[in-house]
Amino acid sequence: MATESYAYDHPAYQARITGGTQTIAGNALQSNRFAAFTALLAKSAQVTVAVAGTGTGNNSITINKVTATTTTSLASVVLGTSAIGVTTNLTLGNTALAQGDVLSCLNGADVVGVAAVTYECLITPGATVTD
């Protein structure tokens, strides 16, 4: 496989890249990891309740950026006892992700609440992509 960089206005740099799965219920567990395959900009995360939490302040999700051993919090939402299907969109502030950086979800103290989380990213213009 060859890799190359396209012109800054190539459609590869204008299309949104998404990734995500369901979080894992449990106190302070990390889940829903997404590894950057090239330089990306983290635009937003959509969080949709899949299983309601047991307490108003316990069921929360924090979106983190992990670079090697450094973890940076990007956004968080308290879902509480929200009904299944309630959706929240969080901005990730156009956070730069280097190849290999990871986006992940950190659960709050609730051991029941679960959400489907999708990350929206954009390939950084000029980043190397596989041909």
Side-chain angles (χ1 to χ4, degrees), residues 14-67:
Q14 297 172 358
R16 299 293 197 233
I17 305 298
T18 60
T21 59
Q22 182 169 292
T23 60
I24 298 171
N27 183 7
L29 292 181
Q30 289 279 347
S31 61
N32 194 18
R33 291 176 175 91
F34 173 81
F37 59 90
T38 191
L40 300 173
L41 293 175
K43 305 289 282 178
S44 70
Q46 180 170 300
V47 180
T48 302
V49 175
V51 176
T54 59
T56 56
N58 295 340
N59 189 16
S60 64
I61 293 178
T62 301
I63 309 295
N64 291 323
K65 171 188 170 183
V66 181
T67 303

